Coordinates of all heavy atoms in Angstrom, one line a residue:
Chain B
N39 N -28.6 291.0 21.2 CA -28.5 292.4 21.6 C -28.1 292.5 23.0 O -28.8 292.7 23.9 CB -29.8 293.1 21.3 CG -29.5 294.6 21.3 OD1 -28.6 295.1 21.8 ND2 -30.5 295.3 20.7
T40 N -26.7 292.3 23.2 CA -26.2 292.2 24.6 C -26.4 293.6 25.3 O -26.7 293.7 26.5 CB -24.7 291.9 24.6 OG1 -24.0 292.8 23.8 CG2 -24.5 290.5 24.0
G41 N -26.2 294.7 24.6 CA -26.3 295.9 25.2 C -27.7 296.2 25.8 O -27.8 296.7 26.9
E42 N -28.7 295.9 24.9 CA -30.1 296.2 25.4 C -30.3 295.4 26.6 O -30.9 295.9 27.7 CB -31.0 295.7 24.3 CG -32.5 295.8 24.6 CD -33.1 297.1 24.4 OE1 -32.3 298.0 23.8 OE2 -34.2 297.4 24.7
L43 N -30.0 294.2 26.7 CA -30.3 293.3 27.9 C -29.4 293.8 29.1 O -30.1 293.9 30.2 CB -29.8 291.9 27.6 CG -30.0 290.9 28.7 CD1 -31.5 290.8 29.1 CD2 -29.5 289.5 28.3
G44 N -28.2 294.1 28.9 CA -27.4 294.6 29.9 C -27.9 295.9 30.6 O -28.1 296.0 31.8
R45 N -28.3 296.8 29.8 CA -28.8 298.1 30.3 C -30.1 297.9 31.0 O -30.4 298.4 32.1 CB -28.9 299.1 29.2 CG -27.6 299.8 28.9 CD -27.8 300.7 27.7 NE -28.3 299.8 26.5 CZ -28.1 300.2 25.2 NH1 -27.5 301.3 24.9 NH2 -28.6 299.4 24.3
A46 N -31.0 297.1 30.4 CA -32.3 296.8 31.0 C -32.1 296.1 32.4 O -32.8 296.5 33.4 CB -33.1 295.9 30.1
M47 N -31.1 295.2 32.5 CA -30.9 294.6 33.7 C -30.4 295.5 34.8 O -31.0 295.5 35.9 CB -29.9 293.4 33.6 CG -30.4 292.2 32.8 SD -31.7 291.5 33.9 CE -30.8 291.1 35.3
K48 N -29.4 296.3 34.4 CA -28.9 297.2 35.4 C -29.9 298.3 35.9 O -30.0 298.6 37.1 CB -27.7 298.0 34.8 CG -26.9 298.8 35.8 CD -25.7 299.5 35.1 CE -24.8 300.1 36.1 NZ -24.0 299.2 36.9
R49 N -30.7 298.8 34.9 CA -31.7 299.8 35.3 C -32.7 299.2 36.3 O -33.0 299.7 37.3 CB -32.4 300.3 34.0 CG -33.4 301.3 34.3 CD -34.0 301.8 33.0 NE -34.1 300.7 32.0 CZ -34.0 300.9 30.7 NH1 -33.8 302.0 30.2 NH2 -34.2 299.9 29.9
R50 N -33.2 298.0 35.9 CA -34.3 297.4 36.7 C -33.7 297.0 38.1 O -34.4 297.3 39.1 CB -34.8 296.1 36.0 CG -35.7 295.3 36.9 CD -37.0 296.0 37.2 NE -37.8 296.3 36.1 CZ -38.6 295.5 35.5 NH1 -38.8 294.3 36.0 NH2 -39.3 295.8 34.4
R51 N -32.5 296.6 38.1 CA -31.9 296.1 39.4 C -31.8 297.3 40.3 O -32.0 297.3 41.5 CB -30.6 295.5 39.1 CG -29.9 294.9 40.3 CD -28.7 294.2 40.0 NE -27.6 295.0 39.5 CZ -26.9 295.8 40.2 NH1 -26.9 295.7 41.5 NH2 -25.9 296.5 39.6
E52 N -31.3 298.5 39.7 CA -31.1 299.6 40.5 C -32.4 300.3 40.9 O -32.5 300.8 42.0 CB -30.2 300.6 39.8 CG -28.7 300.1 39.7 CD -27.9 301.1 38.9 OE1 -28.4 301.9 38.1 OE2 -26.7 300.9 38.9
E53 N -33.4 300.2 40.1 CA -34.7 300.6 40.4 C -35.2 300.0 41.7 O -35.8 300.6 42.5 CB -35.7 300.3 39.3 CG -35.7 301.4 38.2 CD -36.7 301.0 37.1 OE1 -37.5 300.1 37.3 OE2 -36.7 301.6 36.0
L54 N -34.9 298.7 41.7 CA -35.5 297.9 42.9 C -34.5 297.9 44.0 O -34.8 297.4 45.1 CB -35.7 296.5 42.4 CG -36.8 296.3 41.3 CD1 -36.9 294.9 40.8 CD2 -38.2 296.8 41.8
G55 N -33.3 298.5 43.7 CA -32.3 298.6 44.8 C -31.8 297.3 45.3 O -31.6 297.0 46.4
L56 N -31.7 296.4 44.3 CA -31.2 295.0 44.5 C -29.7 294.9 44.2 O -29.2 295.7 43.4 CB -32.0 294.0 43.7 CG -33.5 294.0 44.0 CD1 -34.1 293.0 43.1 CD2 -33.8 293.6 45.5
S57 N -29.0 293.9 44.9 CA -27.6 293.7 44.6 C -27.6 292.6 43.5 O -28.6 292.0 43.3 CB -26.9 293.2 45.9 OG -27.3 291.9 46.2
L58 N -26.4 292.4 43.0 CA -26.3 291.3 41.9 C -26.7 290.0 42.5 O -27.3 289.1 41.9 CB -24.9 291.3 41.4 CG -24.6 292.5 40.5 CD1 -23.1 292.4 40.1 CD2 -25.4 292.5 39.3
R59 N -26.3 289.8 43.8 CA -26.6 288.5 44.4 C -28.1 288.3 44.7 O -28.6 287.2 44.7 CB -25.8 288.3 45.7 CG -24.3 288.0 45.4 CD -23.5 288.0 46.7 NE -22.1 287.7 46.4 CZ -21.1 288.6 46.0 NH1 -21.6 289.8 45.8 NH2 -19.9 288.2 45.8
D60 N -28.7 289.4 45.0 CA -30.2 289.4 45.1 C -30.9 288.8 43.8 O -31.6 287.9 43.8 CB -30.7 290.7 45.5 CG -30.3 291.2 46.9 OD1 -30.1 290.2 47.7 OD2 -30.3 292.4 47.1
V61 N -30.5 289.5 42.8 CA -31.0 289.1 41.4 C -30.6 287.7 41.1 O -31.5 286.9 40.5 CB -30.5 290.1 40.3 CG1 -31.1 289.7 39.0 CG2 -30.9 291.5 40.7
A62 N -29.4 287.3 41.5 CA -29.0 286.0 41.2 C -29.9 284.9 41.9 O -30.3 283.9 41.3 CB -27.5 285.8 41.7
D63 N -30.2 285.3 43.1 CA -31.1 284.3 43.9 C -32.5 284.2 43.3 O -33.0 283.1 43.2 CB -31.2 284.8 45.4 CG -30.0 284.7 46.2 OD1 -29.2 283.8 45.8 OD2 -29.8 285.4 47.2
V64 N -33.0 285.3 42.7 CA -34.3 285.3 42.2 C -34.4 284.6 40.8 O -35.3 283.8 40.5 CB -34.9 286.7 42.1 CG1 -36.3 286.7 41.6 CG2 -35.0 287.4 43.5
T65 N -33.4 284.9 40.1 CA -33.4 284.5 38.6 C -32.7 283.2 38.4 O -33.0 282.5 37.4 CB -32.7 285.5 37.7 OG1 -31.4 285.7 38.1 CG2 -33.4 286.9 37.8
G66 N -31.8 282.8 39.3 CA -31.1 281.6 39.0 C -29.9 281.8 38.2 O -29.2 280.8 37.9
V67 N -29.5 283.1 37.9 CA -28.4 283.3 37.1 C -27.3 283.8 38.1 O -27.6 284.7 38.9 CB -28.7 284.4 36.1 CG1 -27.4 284.7 35.3 CG2 -29.7 283.9 35.2
S68 N -26.1 283.3 38.0 CA -25.1 283.7 39.0 C -24.7 285.1 39.0 O -24.9 285.8 37.9 CB -23.9 282.8 38.8 OG -23.2 283.3 37.7
A69 N -24.3 285.6 40.1 CA -23.9 287.1 40.1 C -22.8 287.4 39.2 O -22.8 288.5 38.6 CB -23.5 287.4 41.6
S70 N -21.8 286.5 39.1 CA -20.8 286.8 38.2 C -21.2 287.0 36.7 O -20.8 287.9 36.0 CB -19.7 285.7 38.3 OG -20.3 284.4 38.0
T71 N -22.1 286.1 36.4 CA -22.6 286.1 35.0 C -23.5 287.4 34.8 O -23.4 288.1 33.8 CB -23.6 284.9 34.7 OG1 -22.8 283.7 34.7 CG2 -24.2 285.0 33.4
L72 N -24.2 287.8 35.9 CA -25.0 289.0 35.8 C -24.1 290.2 35.6 O -24.5 291.1 34.9 CB -25.8 289.2 37.1 CG -27.1 288.2 37.2 CD1 -27.7 288.4 38.6 CD2 -28.1 288.5 36.1
S73 N -23.0 290.2 36.4 CA -22.1 291.3 36.2 C -21.6 291.4 34.8 O -21.5 292.5 34.2 CB -20.9 291.0 37.2 OG -19.9 292.0 36.9
R74 N -21.2 290.3 34.2 CA -20.7 290.3 32.9 C -21.8 290.8 31.9 O -21.5 291.4 30.9 CB -20.2 288.9 32.5 CG -18.8 288.6 33.1 CD -18.3 287.2 32.7 NE -18.9 286.1 33.5 CZ -18.2 285.5 34.4 NH1 -17.0 285.7 34.7 NH2 -18.8 284.5 35.1
I75 N -23.0 290.4 32.1 CA -24.1 290.8 31.2 C -24.3 292.3 31.3 O -24.4 292.9 30.3 CB -25.4 290.0 31.6 CG1 -25.2 288.6 31.1 CG2 -26.6 290.7 30.9 CD1 -26.4 287.6 31.5
E76 N -24.3 292.8 32.6 CA -24.5 294.2 32.7 C -23.4 295.1 32.1 O -23.6 296.2 31.6 CB -24.6 294.6 34.2 CG -26.0 294.2 34.8 CD -26.2 294.8 36.1 OE1 -25.3 295.5 36.6 OE2 -27.3 294.6 36.7
N77 N -22.3 294.5 32.0 CA -21.1 295.2 31.4 C -20.9 294.8 30.0 O -19.9 295.3 29.3 CB -19.9 294.9 32.2 CG -19.9 295.4 33.7 OD1 -20.6 296.4 33.9 ND2 -19.3 294.7 34.6
G78 N -21.8 294.0 29.6 CA -21.8 293.7 28.1 C -20.6 292.9 27.7 O -20.2 292.9 26.5
T79 N -20.2 292.1 28.6 CA -19.0 291.1 28.2 C -19.6 289.8 27.7 O -20.3 289.2 28.5 CB -18.1 290.9 29.5 OG1 -17.6 292.2 29.9 CG2 -17.0 290.0 29.1
G80 N -19.2 289.4 26.6 CA -19.6 288.1 26.1 C -21.0 287.9 25.8 O -21.8 288.9 25.8
K81 N -21.4 286.7 25.4 CA -22.9 286.6 25.1 C -23.5 285.6 26.0 O -23.0 284.4 26.0 CB -22.9 286.0 23.6 CG -22.4 287.0 22.5 CD -22.5 286.4 21.2 CE -21.3 285.6 20.7 NZ -21.4 285.2 19.3
P82 N -24.5 285.9 26.6 CA -25.3 285.0 27.5 C -25.9 283.8 26.7 O -26.2 284.1 25.5 CB -26.4 285.8 28.1 CG -26.1 287.3 27.8 CD -25.2 287.3 26.6
D83 N -26.0 282.7 27.4 CA -26.6 281.6 26.6 C -28.1 281.7 26.6 O -28.7 282.6 27.3 CB -26.1 280.2 27.1 CG -26.6 280.0 28.5 OD1 -27.5 280.8 29.0 OD2 -26.2 279.1 29.2
A84 N -28.8 280.8 25.9 CA -30.2 280.9 25.7 C -30.9 280.8 27.0 O -31.9 281.6 27.2 CB -30.7 279.8 24.7
D85 N -30.5 279.9 27.8 CA -31.3 279.8 29.1 C -31.2 281.0 29.9 O -32.2 281.5 30.5 CB -30.7 278.6 29.9 CG -31.5 277.3 29.7 OD1 -32.7 277.4 29.9 OD2 -30.9 276.3 29.4
N86 N -30.1 281.6 30.0 CA -29.9 282.8 30.9 C -30.8 284.0 30.3 O -31.3 284.8 31.0 CB -28.5 283.2 31.0 CG -27.8 282.3 32.1 OD1 -28.5 281.7 32.9 ND2 -26.6 282.3 32.1
I87 N -30.7 284.1 28.9 CA -31.5 285.1 28.3 C -33.0 284.9 28.6 O -33.7 285.8 28.9 CB -31.3 285.1 26.7 CG1 -29.9 285.6 26.4 CG2 -32.3 285.9 26.1 CD1 -29.6 285.6 25.0
A88 N -33.4 283.7 28.6 CA -34.8 283.4 28.9 C -35.2 283.7 30.4 O -36.1 284.4 30.6 CB -35.1 281.9 28.6
R89 N -34.2 283.4 31.2 CA -34.5 283.7 32.7 C -34.5 285.2 32.9 O -35.4 285.7 33.6 CB -33.4 283.1 33.5 CG -33.4 281.6 33.6 CD -32.6 281.1 34.8 NE -32.6 279.5 34.8 CZ -31.6 278.9 34.2 NH1 -30.6 279.4 33.5 NH2 -31.7 277.6 34.2
L90 N -33.7 285.9 32.2 CA -33.6 287.4 32.6 C -34.7 288.2 31.9 O -35.3 289.0 32.5 CB -32.3 287.9 32.1 CG -31.1 287.3 32.9 CD1 -29.8 287.9 32.5 CD2 -31.3 287.5 34.3
T91 N -35.0 287.8 30.7 CA -36.1 288.5 29.9 C -37.4 288.1 30.7 O -38.3 289.0 30.8 CB -36.2 288.1 28.5 OG1 -36.3 286.7 28.3 CG2 -35.0 288.7 27.7
N92 N -37.5 287.0 31.2 CA -38.6 286.6 32.0 C -38.7 287.4 33.2 O -39.8 287.9 33.5 CB -38.4 285.1 32.3 CG -39.8 284.5 32.8 OD1 -40.7 285.0 32.7 ND2 -39.6 283.3 33.4
W93 N -37.6 287.6 33.9 CA -37.7 288.4 35.1 C -38.0 289.8 34.8 O -38.7 290.5 35.6 CB -36.3 288.2 35.8 CG -36.2 289.0 37.1 CD1 -36.9 288.8 38.3 CD2 -35.5 290.2 37.4 NE1 -36.6 289.8 39.2 CE2 -35.7 290.6 38.6 CE3 -34.6 290.9 36.5 CZ2 -35.1 291.8 39.2 CZ3 -34.0 292.0 37.1 CH2 -34.2 292.4 38.4
L94 N -37.5 290.2 33.7 CA -37.7 291.7 33.3 C -39.1 291.9 32.8 O -39.5 293.1 32.6 CB -36.7 292.1 32.2 CG -35.2 292.2 32.7 CD1 -34.3 292.4 31.5 CD2 -35.1 293.6 33.5
D95 N -39.8 290.8 32.4 CA -41.1 290.9 31.8 C -40.8 291.6 30.5 O -41.6 292.5 30.1 CB -42.1 291.6 32.7 CG -43.4 291.0 32.6 OD1 -43.6 290.2 31.5 OD2 -44.2 291.1 33.5
M96 N -39.9 291.2 29.8 CA -39.5 291.8 28.5 C -39.6 290.9 27.4 O -39.3 289.7 27.6 CB -38.0 292.3 28.8 CG -37.4 293.0 27.6 SD -35.5 293.1 27.9 CE -35.1 294.5 26.7
P97 N -40.1 291.3 26.3 CA -40.1 290.4 25.1 C -38.8 289.9 24.7 O -37.8 290.7 24.7 CB -40.7 291.3 24.0 CG -41.2 292.6 24.7 CD -40.5 292.7 26.0
V98 N -38.7 288.6 24.5 CA -37.4 288.0 24.1 C -36.9 288.6 22.9 O -35.7 288.7 22.7 CB -37.5 286.5 23.9 CG1 -36.2 285.8 24.1 CG2 -38.6 286.0 24.9
D99 N -37.7 288.9 21.9 CA -37.3 289.4 20.7 C -36.7 290.7 20.7 O -36.2 291.3 19.7 CB -38.4 289.3 19.5 CG -39.5 290.1 20.0 OD1 -39.6 290.5 21.2 OD2 -40.5 290.3 19.2
R100 N -36.6 291.3 21.9 CA -36.0 292.6 22.1 C -34.5 292.3 22.2 O -33.6 293.1 22.0 CB -36.5 293.2 23.3 CG -36.1 294.7 23.5 CD -36.8 295.7 22.7 NE -37.3 296.8 23.5 CZ -38.5 296.7 24.1 NH1 -39.3 295.7 23.8 NH2 -38.9 297.7 24.8
V101 N -34.2 291.1 22.6 CA -32.8 290.7 22.9 C -32.3 289.8 21.7 O -31.2 290.0 21.3 CB -32.6 289.9 24.2 CG1 -31.2 289.5 24.4 CG2 -33.1 290.8 25.3
L102 N -33.1 288.9 21.3 CA -32.8 288.1 20.2 C -33.3 288.7 18.9 O -34.4 288.4 18.5 CB -33.3 286.6 20.4 CG -32.2 285.6 20.7 CD1 -31.4 286.1 21.8 CD2 -32.9 284.3 21.1
N103 N -32.5 289.4 18.2 CA -32.9 290.2 17.1 C -33.5 289.3 16.0 O -32.9 288.5 15.3 CB -31.8 290.9 16.5 CG -31.6 292.3 17.1 OD1 -32.5 292.7 17.8 ND2 -30.4 292.8 17.0
K104 N -34.8 289.4 15.9 CA -35.4 288.9 14.6 C -35.0 289.9 13.5 O -34.6 291.0 13.8 CB -36.9 288.9 14.7 CG -37.4 288.4 16.1 CD -37.8 286.9 16.0 CE -38.0 286.2 14.7 NZ -38.2 284.8 14.8
Q105 N -35.2 289.5 12.4 CA -34.9 290.3 11.1 C -33.4 290.8 11.0 O -33.1 291.7 10.3 CB -35.8 291.5 11.0 CG -35.4 292.7 11.8 CD -36.5 293.7 11.9 OE1 -37.6 293.4 11.5 NE2 -36.3 294.9 12.4
G106 N -32.5 290.2 11.9 CA -31.1 290.4 11.8 C -30.7 291.8 11.5 O -29.8 292.0 10.7
G107 N -31.2 292.7 12.1 CA -30.8 294.1 12.0 C -31.2 294.8 10.8 O -32.3 295.4 10.7
S108 N -30.4 294.7 9.7 CA -30.8 295.4 8.4 C -31.6 294.4 7.6 O -31.4 293.3 7.5 CB -29.6 295.8 7.7 OG -28.8 294.6 7.4
D109 N -32.7 295.0 7.1 CA -33.6 294.1 6.4 C -33.5 294.2 4.9 O -34.4 294.2 4.2 CB -35.1 294.4 6.8 CG -35.3 295.9 6.9 OD1 -34.3 296.7 6.8 OD2 -36.5 296.4 6.9
E110 N -32.3 294.5 4.5 CA -32.1 294.5 3.1 C -32.2 293.1 2.4 O -31.6 292.2 3.0 CB -30.7 295.1 2.8 CG -29.7 294.9 3.8 CD -28.5 295.7 3.5 OE1 -28.4 296.3 2.4 OE2 -27.6 295.6 4.4
V111 N -33.0 293.1 1.4 CA -33.2 291.8 0.7 C -32.0 291.5 -0.1 O -31.6 292.3 -1.0 CB -34.5 291.7 -0.1 CG1 -34.7 290.4 -0.7 CG2 -35.6 292.1 0.8
E112 N -31.4 290.3 0.1 CA -30.3 290.0 -0.7 C -30.7 289.1 -1.9 O -31.6 288.3 -1.8 CB -29.2 289.3 0.0 CG -29.3 287.8 0.2 CD -28.1 287.3 0.8 OE1 -27.3 288.0 1.5 OE2 -27.9 286.1 0.8
A113 N -30.1 289.2 -3.0 CA -30.5 288.5 -4.2 C -30.4 287.0 -4.0 O -29.6 286.4 -3.3 CB -29.7 288.9 -5.4
V114 N -31.4 286.3 -4.4 CA -31.4 284.8 -4.3 C -31.0 284.1 -5.6 O -30.3 283.2 -5.6 CB -32.8 284.4 -3.9 CG1 -32.9 282.8 -3.9 CG2 -33.1 284.8 -2.4
V115 N -31.5 284.7 -6.7 CA -31.2 284.1 -8.0 C -30.1 284.9 -8.7 O -30.3 286.1 -8.9 CB -32.5 284.1 -8.8 CG1 -32.2 283.5 -10.2 CG2 -33.6 283.3 -8.2
Y116 N -29.1 284.2 -9.1 CA -28.0 284.9 -9.8 C -28.1 284.5 -11.3 O -27.9 283.3 -11.5 CB -26.7 284.6 -9.1 CG -26.7 284.9 -7.6 CD1 -26.9 284.0 -6.7 CD2 -26.5 286.3 -7.3 CE1 -27.0 284.3 -5.4 CE2 -26.5 286.5 -5.9 CZ -26.6 285.7 -5.0 OH -26.6 286.0 -3.7
Y117 N -28.1 285.4 -12.1 CA -28.1 285.1 -13.5 C -26.7 285.7 -13.9 O -26.3 286.8 -13.6 CB -29.1 285.9 -14.2 CG -30.2 284.9 -14.6 CD1 -31.4 284.9 -14.0 CD2 -30.1 284.1 -15.7 CE1 -32.4 284.0 -14.4 CE2 -31.1 283.3 -16.1 CZ -32.3 283.2 -15.4 OH -33.3 282.4 -15.8
P118 N -26.0 284.9 -14.8 CA -24.8 285.4 -15.4 C -25.1 286.6 -16.3 O -24.3 287.5 -16.3 CB -24.4 284.2 -16.2 CG -25.5 283.3 -16.3 CD -26.4 283.6 -15.2

Side-chain angles (χ1 to χ4, degrees):
Chain B
N39 200 337
T40 60
E42 177 85 9
L43 180 61
R45 277 171 306 202
M47 283 299 300
K48 191 180 186 71
R49 180 175 39 207
R50 171 65 61 86
R51 184 174 65 84
E52 290 176 344
E53 273 178 14
L54 299 175
L56 300 177
S57 72
L58 288 176
R59 286 175 178 80
D60 291 334
V61 180
D63 286 338
V64 179
T65 59
V67 180
S68 73
S70 53
T71 296
L72 288 174
S73 171
R74 283 183 279 253
I75 288 176
E76 285 192 357
N77 295 330
T79 302
K81 298 183 272 189
D83 68 8
D85 261 313
N86 283 340
I87 288 179
R89 291 198 182 91
L90 297 184
T91 53
N92 194 12
W93 179 68
L94 289 167
D95 219 340
M96 179 191 200
V98 201
D99 55 351
R100 191 80 127 268
V101 176
L102 254 49
N103 274 343
K104 314 264 341 175
Q105 84 193 9
S108 58
D109 44 348
E110 29 188 355
V111 182
E112 86 174 17
V114 170
V115 179
Y116 302 98
Y117 256 101

